Amino acid sequence: MSIQITMPALSPTMEEGNLAKWLVKVGDKIEPGQVIAEIETDKATMEVEAVDEGVVAEILVAEGAQGVKVNTPIARLAGEGDVAKPTAAAPAPAAAKPQAPPPASMRAPPQKTVEASATPGERIFASPLARRLAGQGGIDLASLSGSGPRGRIVKSDVEAALKGPHAQAAPQQSRELARQAPPAQAPAPFKSLESQGIRPGSYDLVPLDLMRKTIAKRMTESFRDVPHFPLTIDIEIDGLLKARTEINKRFGDKGVKISVNDMCIKAAALALKLVPEANASYTPDGVALHHHADIAVAVAVPGGLITPIVWAAETKGLAQISHEMADLAERARTKKLKPEEFQGGTFSISNMGMMGIKSFASIINEPHGMIMSIGAGEKRPVVKNDALAIATIMSVTVTCDHRVVDGALGAAFLKAFRGFLEDPMAMLL
């Protein structure tokens, strides 16, 4: 019996990917753990490893194919009596409907494979997506039989369990909320440019790549579905700039080069620990209060942006934050980040001050409860001791998810954040 290799789900939100490169050809013998292909997602280019051993009998989707749906068969391993086909097939159409659900025979790099212990000496093999769905649905992976290769638990196994009679019931509050919630509003149908008065042939159409499609979808959903509001504050940063200059002067020979953005990351993390209720995410079952301030920082890349994460930023010094951000930003621009380096986080920062933008408000990056927008520092007239003076002022806006962060809580966070920036020495305590 032959085994199908399918387009893997390399992240919980992945729906399609580009098959950038095959690293094997028809007739090659492959082994579990061998890298066989490179897949481009909306954020990164990732190597994919084989789960099964066998001989490549047929390449179903040629390298370079765009928009291949998750679970679409892309290759086949030979079974007994099979004869390998010598030529590769043409690229699968982007809109081809996934075949549901063939055995999953690929997995992401080893760090993403889930091996949960059921009993001493026994391991449960499950895909990352299956693990996530099981956690959300209250399903014990040890109670499932996997239909994937070598009994690996895959998405369809968890979905079947969720529909079964033994699925864990949702909390009563969640059921009540579900009954009371109005039906989701369908997106408005797209209007062609011509129907809006744009003359045919008067523009060039640039096809949407995976990153731009994902940005368009996620930002539309966030802006439409998350009740949000902005809060803006002005912060005097002359003391911050002086401290930054002194740090870089004293430790520059050791490779330390601190930016204002690095200091904002640290200050935001400390403010979140000082006001822990603001470090939160909304879920239908309750408000999740996060243990660490995992700061996602927007980085502009060709075709869009990506938000690599400084994990547990409250525990790290400015030098470490600076080095991490330089590395993350460089690898983000070359699409070399691993999924665990940009998926998740508890709070977002977008800094357009370095581009000269004075003030702006960002769209919430779910599941974060807030996103901070940092504007440019500029000399402004201020009143000090009833006299006119000049100070360097930076406008900062946080967009809040009103389901978890109300006005008073957002104001408390901003007060703490301003305290750390206006008195940088406080960040050392």
Side-chain angles (χ1 to χ4, degrees), residues 336-350:
K336 298 299 181 183
L337 290 178
K338 300 173 184 177
E340 59 267 27
E341 293 178 311
F342 61 82
Q343 291 177 358
T346 68
F347 181 89
S348 303
I349 289 179
S350 178

Side-chain angles (χ1 to χ4, degrees), residues 235-256:
I235 301 174
E236 185 176 327
I237 60 170
D238 288 296
L240 180 81
L241 296 176
K242 182 179 179 181
R244 171 179 173 264
T245 300
E246 183 63 25
I247 291 171
N248 289 338
K249 181 179 178 180
R250 291 185 61 183
F251 300 102
D253 58 347
K254 297 181 180 180
V256 174

Side-chain angles (χ1 to χ4, degrees), residues 363-386:
I363 298 175
I364 288 174
N365 182 26
E366 290 190 279
H368 303 173
M370 290 190 295
I371 182 169
M372 174 181 286
S373 308
I374 300 174
E378 60 178 5
K379 296 288 187 181
R380 299 184 199 171
V382 297
V383 175
K384 292 185 177 182
N385 300 320
D386 294 330

Side-chain angles (χ1 to χ4, degrees), residues 67-230:
V68 183
K69 300 293 184 182
V70 166
N71 286 337
T72 298
I74 58 176
R76 183 173 61 86
L77 298 184
E80 281 189 47
D82 272 356
V83 177
K85 298 186 179 182
T87 56
K97 185 178 180 181
Q99 298 182 5
S105 49
M106 271 190 182
R107 63 178 172 85
Q111 67 271 12
K112 295 299 286 182
T113 299
V114 177
E115 300 179 5
S117 295
T119 59
E122 181 182 358
R123 292 184 301 177
I124 299 174
F125 291 84
S127 70
L129 185 54
R131 169 71 170 229
R132 181 184 179 89
L133 292 175
Q136 291 174 344
I139 298 296
D140 182 4
L141 288 174
S143 67
L144 303 183
S145 297
S147 62
R150 304 188 180 190
R152 189 169 184 244
I153 298 171
V154 295
K155 174 185 175 184
S156 58
D157 300 322
V158 179
E159 289 178 336
L162 288 170
K163 296 176 183 177
H166 301 294
Q168 179 176 338
Q172 181 66 26
Q173 183 183 13
S174 297
R175 293 198 297 269
E176 291 297 327
L177 288 172
R179 282 196 291 266
Q180 296 171 10
Q185 183 178 0
F190 178 76
K191 296 180 181 179
S192 69
L193 297 181
E194 286 75 14
S195 71
Q196 300 175 75
I198 304 297
R199 292 173 296 171
S202 65
Y203 58 88
D204 294 324
L205 194 64
V206 179
L208 299 174
D209 60 14
L210 288 177
M211 176 174 285
R212 185 53 59 187
K213 286 181 181 177
T214 302
I215 290 173
K217 179 181 178 183
R218 291 200 62 194
M219 293 299 97
T220 297
E221 290 173 347
S222 176
F223 197 81
R224 180 188 66 220
D225 298 337
V226 177
H228 56 277
F229 66 96

